[in-house]
Amino acid sequence: YFDGSYGPPCSADAACTIMPAILLNGDYNTLRNSEVTNRRPSQESTMAGTCVHTNDSGGVYGLVVKNNNIHHCGRLPRSNYDHGVYLSYSREAQVLGNKICANADKGINLRIDADGTLIKNNVIDGNSTGIMFAGEDGKTSDNNEARNNLITFAYDRYNVESWYPSGTSAGTGNSVHDNCIYGGARGDFKSPGYGYTEYDNTIADPLYTN
C-alpha cells in the first residue's frame, strides 16, 4: 500500500503541490499487486499529486506496472498536472492488468518521449481523460500500443486523446485497438489520426456491476 498523501512538497515554482506517491528512476523495475493512492476524497483537495511517475531527468527502461489499483490521485479542482500513471523518457514500459480509476487528470499520460509502451488488460475508468498521447519541446511519445482495455467514463474530457503544442509534431506509431470504450464526457476519441490511430474498438457500455 502506497499512500502519497504523506509526500514531501514540490518546489515553490513547480506545477505540482506534493511529490508523486511513487517516483521511478531505475531500469527494469516492477510495481505489482499494490494499491497506490493519495486518498483524495471526492470533494476539493489541494494536497494531492500524481501516483506513479517516471523520472524526467533521464530514460527509464523496461518498467512493468502490473495488477495494481491506482486511484484517487491528484488535486481537485483538476489542475491538468496530476495523473494515475505518468510516463516520460521511458522505453518499453508495460502497463498490464491494473485498475486506474477516479484520478483527477489523465489515467495514463504518455507525456514526453515515452516510447514502446504496451498498455493492455487495464480498467481505465472515471479519470478526467483515459489515455493521452503527447509531446513537448519537439519530443513525442511514439510506437505505443493500447489494446484489450476498458477505457470508460472520462468525467471531463475524452477517453482517448492527443496533445502537441506549437512546434512539436504529432507522435508516430501509436495505436488504440481492440478495446471497449464508452462514455467520455466530450466523446470517446479526440482527433484520431493526430498522433495515434484507432481501429477495431467496441463502443459499448461495459455494464460494470461494482
Side-chain angles (χ1 to χ4, degrees):
Y1 181 83
F2 295 89
D3 184 349
S5 62
Y6 295 97
C10 297
S11 60
D13 59 345
C16 57
T17 56
I18 64 173
M19 295 294 289
I22 299 175
L23 183 62
L24 295 156
N25 297 308
D27 296 338
Y28 305 106
N29 285 313
T30 297
L31 172 65
R32 178 180 296 173
N33 301 333
S34 297
E35 182 175 4
V36 190
T37 185
N38 50 39
R39 295 186 299 139
R40 172 187 51 73
S42 58
Q43 65 267 28
E44 293 186 6
S45 176
T46 58
M47 293 306 294
T50 290
C51 272
V52 179
H53 196 325
T54 52
N55 188 0
D56 285 343
S57 65
V60 173
Y61 289 80
L63 170 67
V64 176
V65 180
K66 185 174 182 179
N67 296 342
N68 303 285
N69 183 9
I70 300 169
H71 65 96
H72 292 95
C73 310
R75 293 162 281 179
L76 288 179
R78 59 182 296 270
S79 65
N80 205 35
Y81 293 106
D82 303 325
H83 316 293
V85 177
Y86 190 152
L87 300 180
S88 287
Y89 299 99
S90 63
R91 296 289 183 273
E92 308 301 329
Q94 298 181 66
V95 183
L96 309 173
N98 303 281
K99 291 186 288 184
I100 303 173
C101 303
N103 298 296
D105 294 306
K106 284 73 175 173
I108 300 176
N109 190 8
L110 302 169
R111 179 66 171 148
I112 307 172
D113 205 24
D115 295 343
T117 310
L118 175 61
I119 301 168
K120 182 180 178 183
N121 295 340
N122 303 281
V123 177
I124 305 168
D125 177 71
N127 308 283
S128 172
T129 295
I131 297 176
M132 170 75 84
F133 299 97
E136 193 172 4
D137 298 328
K139 299 175 182 177
T140 58
S141 295
D142 304 313
N143 301 315
N144 301 293
E145 179 185 16
R147 72 174 189 261
N148 300 107
N149 303 282
L150 295 171
I151 312 171
T152 53
F153 297 108
Y155 75 84
D156 184 62
R157 294 185 57 82
Y158 301 85
N159 283 318
V160 181
E161 63 179 291
S162 61
W163 179 81
Y164 304 97
S166 177
T168 298
S169 59
T172 60
N174 298 310
S175 63
V176 180
H177 65 94
D178 295 286
N179 304 280
C180 177
I181 301 177
Y182 187 77
R186 301 191 194 182
D188 292 314
F189 298 97
K190 181 183 180 183
S191 304
Y194 185 59
Y196 70 95
T197 59
E198 65 89 7
Y199 57 93
D200 294 340
N201 295 291
T202 298
I203 308 301
D205 189 339
L207 301 176
Y208 296 125
T209 60
N210 185 343

